[in-house]
Every structure is written in structure tokens, then in C-alpha cells.
């Protein structure tokens, strides 16, 4: 059995061919898509976070709204760029959204990815300390946030408070018990996967990672997952970790599917440079009729290693199309593979 979720980038564009022409369209349809996904038996609704782009960017209002409209489905991110985050506000907003959802948040965070603007985090008021890189700053923000989510008091109370205080040092409120164990780190390399394991975060691995061995993407990703679990076993975090991988998977079932996707490219892994120093490998897309998908996905070593699979959805095609896509995947692919 596997948890099956969708991952939406939340694109919008004023193109007449798009069902999401405005930010409002994307936000409201994201809520409706999570409701529809829950109805067809999908386990998770996950949303990407990109700043300065016509995509989803401010996750917590959306997560809270999805939590209020659903009752079972996990609600998460993949991923929040911690270079842009105040760890205190993050902890407060996350606690509130988690309580609204009844403890269903699964928050993917990371050190960030290539951006729309140069050093966009500076516009948010954040700068690396002397000797730090922006990645170091993201990890520093993360360490503070993880500590605060433990729910232990750390702030000296005012001797003349506006309202009575409980005894001792104060913690941030609202605190949601258990949320600390539902933080995931989006790792792009084996080393950062091990770093996440050391700090007691679950592992989120996408369709992009550093090309560290020259092998096929799914083989490198499977090795990353095994390195994460081996490192986790060296620590006593008090709970078993989870691991997710994401994939672009389109079951070709209807004439509409064929018109949109049959014959699309990216059926093989791709190699590219995500910055001046980093050679990356991009995982292939899976687009085929269900029987062929079942055969191909059964060979994907990283999916076999993971307990959670996130399917990227073409959100600009609208709620109805994506709900049917997920239903087709569950019925015609996930069930034959024994994942559901």
C-alpha cells in the first residue's frame, strides 16, 4: 500500500486556453480539487510554493481553507523555500492551519530552488549572516522552526502582562501537538537527505536531484532514500520516518487525454545545469495507457522504496479534468500495482 497524493504548482495565465486565468481561479480551484481528490480516494493534496511567479506562493491560507473543506485527506506543501521564511511566523501559521485541519498537515520545506528574481529573499527582509550562504540561512531558519515546533517554553514572560500567563517560560501559540513529526525536507542530494535524517525530518524527493553517479534517475533516487534511512537508524527520533517521491504520470484513458498528452516528450531522463556548479538529473515523465504504465512503474526503484507518491497535475486544465485524471490513476494504475 502507498499513500497517493497530487502535487499542484498552481499555475495561472490569462491565455484563453487556461482554466486558471487569475490567482483567484487557482486558489479557489485548488480547494475544490482537494475536495474532489478526497472523494475519489486520493490520500494527499500538496501544493508547490514559488515566489514572484504566477503560481501558488502563500501556502498557509490555502492549507487552512483546504483543511476546513475536507475531513480525511492529508494537506501539504512541496516545498516551502525556507530562505523566505520567518521561523516564528511559520510556526504560528502552521500550528493554526494544522489545528483547523485536525492534524492533517504534512509540510515539505527546503533550502530553495532557482528563483524568478535575483536573491528574492532579500526583498522579504532576509540576508545570510557573515560567512553564510543563502542555503545556510535556510537551514538556520529551519533549525529554529523545528525547535519552536517542539512546543517548549523559551520566552521570558512580561511581569505585567495584558492577560494572565501560565507559569514558566512561554511558547508560541497556537501549538499543534504532533506537527513536528510531520515536517519533510526536500532533498536534492544524498548529503542533504542524510542531514534531514539527522534532524528528524521526513524525506521529500522530487523529479530533480543532483546527478551524483551518472545512473538512471530512479536508481539514484532509490540510493538517496536508502542513505536517508540508514542515517535515520543511527538516531533516536521516536517515530518512523516517511518518504515521498513525485512523478509526472498521465494515464491515457480518454480521447481528451490522447489529445492533450499522447506523444509528449520527456519519456527519458534529462541532464541539465540548475546553476553554474550543479549538474542535475531530471526524472522522466510517464505517459501511456494504464497497462503500459503498470509495467513501467513497477520497474521504478525509487517509487518502490517510498511510502508516498505525489502525482504532478496539470492544474490549468481545471478541476473536473484533474479529478478524472486522479480517479483513472487510482483505479487503473495504483490498484493493479497493489498500491491502493
Amino acid at each position: 500500500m502507498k499513500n497517493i497524493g497530487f502535487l499542484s504548482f498552481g499555475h495561472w495565465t490569462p491565455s484563453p486556453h487556461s482554466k486558471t486565468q487569475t490567482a483567484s481561479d487557482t486558489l479557489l480551484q485548488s480547494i475544490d480539487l482537494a475536495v474532489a481528490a478526497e472523494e475519489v480516494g486520493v490520500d494527499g493534496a500538496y501544493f508547490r510554493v514559488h515566489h514572484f511567479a504566477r503560481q501558488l506562493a502563500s501556502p498557509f491560507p490555502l492549507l487552512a481553507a483546504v483543511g476546513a473543506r475536507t475531513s480525511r485527506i492529508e494537506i501539504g506543501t512541496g516545498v516551502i523555500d525556507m530562505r523566505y521564511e520567518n521561523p516564528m511566523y511559520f510556526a504560528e501559521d502552521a500550528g493554526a492551519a494544522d489545528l483547523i485541519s485536525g492534524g492533517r498537515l504534512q509540510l515539505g520545506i527546503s533550502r530553495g530552488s532557482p528563483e524568478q528574481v535575483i536573491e528574492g529573499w532579500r526583498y522579504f527582509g532576509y540576508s545570510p549572516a557573515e560567512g553564510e550562504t543563502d542555503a545556510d540561512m535556510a537551514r538556520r531558519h529551519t533549525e529554529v522552526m523545528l525547535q519552536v515546533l517542539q512546543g517548549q517554553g523559551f520566552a521570558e514572560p512580561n511581569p505585567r502582562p495584558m492577560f494572565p500567563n501560565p507559569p514558566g517560560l512561554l511558547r508560541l501559540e497556537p501549538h499543534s501537538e504532533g506537527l513536528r513529526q510531520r515536517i519533510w525536507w526536500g532533498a536534492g542530494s544524498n548529503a542533504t537527505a542524510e542531514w534531514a535524517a539527522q534532524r528528524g525530518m521526513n524525506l521529500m524527493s522530487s523529479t530533480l536531484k543532483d546527478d551524483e553517479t551518472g545512473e538512471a534517475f530512479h536508481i539514484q533516487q532509490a540510493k538517496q532514500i536508502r542513505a536517508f534511512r540508514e542515517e535515520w537508524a543511527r538516531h533516536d527520533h521516536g517515530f518512523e520516518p516517511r518518504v515521498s517521491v513525485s512523478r509526472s504520470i498521465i494515464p491515457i484513458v480518454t480521447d481528451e487525454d490522447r489529445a492533450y498528452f499522447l506523444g509528449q516528450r520527456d519519456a527519458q531522463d534529462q541532464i541539465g545545469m540548475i546553476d553554474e556548479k550543479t549538474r542535475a538529473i531530471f526524472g522522466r515523465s510517464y505517459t501511456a495507457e494504464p497497462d503500459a504504465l503498470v509495467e513501467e512503474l513497477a520497474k521504478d526503484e525509487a517509487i518502490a522504496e517510498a511510502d508516498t507518491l505525489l502525482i504532478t497535475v496539470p492544474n490549468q486544465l481545471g478541476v473536473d479534468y484533474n479529478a478524472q485524471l486522479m480517479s483513472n490513476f487510482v483505479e487503473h494504475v495504483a490498484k493493479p500495482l497493489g498500491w491502493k
Side-chain angles (χ1 to χ4, degrees):
M1 299 291 286
K2 288 190 189 297
N3 286 286
I4 306 296
F6 74 81
L7 175 62
S8 173
F9 280 55
H11 294 282
W12 78 84
T13 175
S15 165
H17 303 291
S18 174
K19 298 288 181 66
T20 54
Q21 298 199 6
T22 67
S24 176
D25 290 342
T26 292
L27 288 163
L28 295 174
Q29 288 186 33
S30 294
I31 299 167
D32 290 342
L33 184 56
V35 172
E38 184 171 78
E39 291 172 352
V40 302
V42 171
D43 304 300
Y46 288 75
F47 303 97
R48 191 69 166 89
V49 178
H50 278 129
H51 300 289
F52 298 102
R54 291 180 176 179
Q55 299 176 41
L56 295 170
S58 50
F60 291 112
L62 175 59
L63 298 174
V66 171
R69 286 279 307 278
T70 58
S71 60
R72 177 192 59 80
I73 198 168
E74 293 182 340
I75 310 161
T77 52
V79 287
I80 299 172
D81 186 337
M82 291 302 291
R83 294 175 296 182
Y84 287 78
E85 294 296 319
N86 179 308
M88 300 295 180
Y89 277 126
F90 183 107
E92 285 188 344
D93 287 348
D98 196 46
L99 291 169
I100 289 170
S101 74
R104 289 181 283 132
L105 255 58
Q106 304 284 343
L107 295 178
I109 64 176
S110 83
R111 54 82 76 202
S113 58
E115 304 175 90
Q116 296 297 109
V117 300
I118 297 170
E119 297 184 344
W121 28 269
R122 292 191 185 275
Y123 295 100
F124 279 56
Y126 303 115
S127 299
E130 186 175 353
E132 270 191 332
T133 65
D134 60 314
D136 294 333
M137 178 177 67
R139 295 187 185 100
R140 172 166 53 84
H141 289 175
T142 298
E143 300 265 19
V144 174
M145 179 271 294
L146 292 175
Q147 184 63 37
V148 170
L149 284 184
Q150 297 281 8
Q152 298 169 351
F154 62 90
E156 189 72 31
N158 189 336
R160 301 181 188 83
M162 182 177 293
F163 308 105
N165 280 325
L169 299 177
L170 301 183
R171 67 185 185 185
L172 285 181
E173 301 291 356
H175 172 69
S176 185
E177 194 68 36
L179 178 58
R180 170 62 182 83
Q181 296 183 2
R182 287 178 273 116
I183 304 297
W184 305 58
W185 184 258
S189 67
N190 289 11
T192 52
E194 292 168 354
W195 181 86
Q198 292 162 9
R199 283 148 184 83
M201 289 185 283
N202 304 290
L203 176 64
M204 186 171 279
S205 192
S206 73
T207 53
L208 166 69
K209 74 175 295 292
D210 293 0
D211 184 13
E212 299 182 78
T213 66
E215 295 170 290
F217 172 80
H218 72 103
I219 293 174
Q220 292 198 52
Q221 192 174 49
K223 289 183 175 180
Q224 180 193 48
I225 293 169
R226 288 192 285 269
F228 167 81
R229 289 207 170 106
E230 288 168 7
E231 183 62 34
W232 186 282
R234 298 186 180 101
H235 307 270
D236 182 15
H237 295 304
F239 68 101
E240 288 299 313
R242 289 178 59 183
V243 174
S244 75
V245 297
S246 57
R247 292 289 185 273
S248 174
I249 304 173
I250 304 289
I252 302 298
V253 176
T254 68
D255 288 339
E256 190 175 20
D257 299 331
R258 293 183 183 90
Y260 280 132
F261 297 107
L262 194 61
Q264 77 168 17
R265 301 176 182 178
D266 301 331
Q268 302 294 326
D269 296 342
Q270 304 292 318
I271 300 293
M273 301 295 292
I274 59 172
D275 57 36
E276 297 85 354
K277 301 177 182 178
T278 308
R279 174 185 163 100
I281 183 167
F282 302 78
R284 57 162 297 190
S285 298
Y286 291 93
T287 305
E289 294 183 350
D291 288 349
L293 284 182
V294 168
E295 183 177 346
E296 291 176 2
L297 292 169
K299 301 173 184 176
D300 191 307
E301 292 186 18
I303 293 179
E305 290 280 351
D307 58 78
T308 300
L309 173 63
L310 304 182
I311 308 299
T312 59
V313 294
N315 75 283
Q316 288 179 283
L317 294 181
V319 174
D320 291 344
Y321 180 83
N322 281 289
Q324 188 61 56
L325 182 155
M326 287 187 285
S327 178
N328 289 340
F329 178 80
V330 169
E331 291 299 320
H332 302 301
V333 180
K335 287 184 178 179
L337 282 164
W339 295 346
K340 294 289 288 179

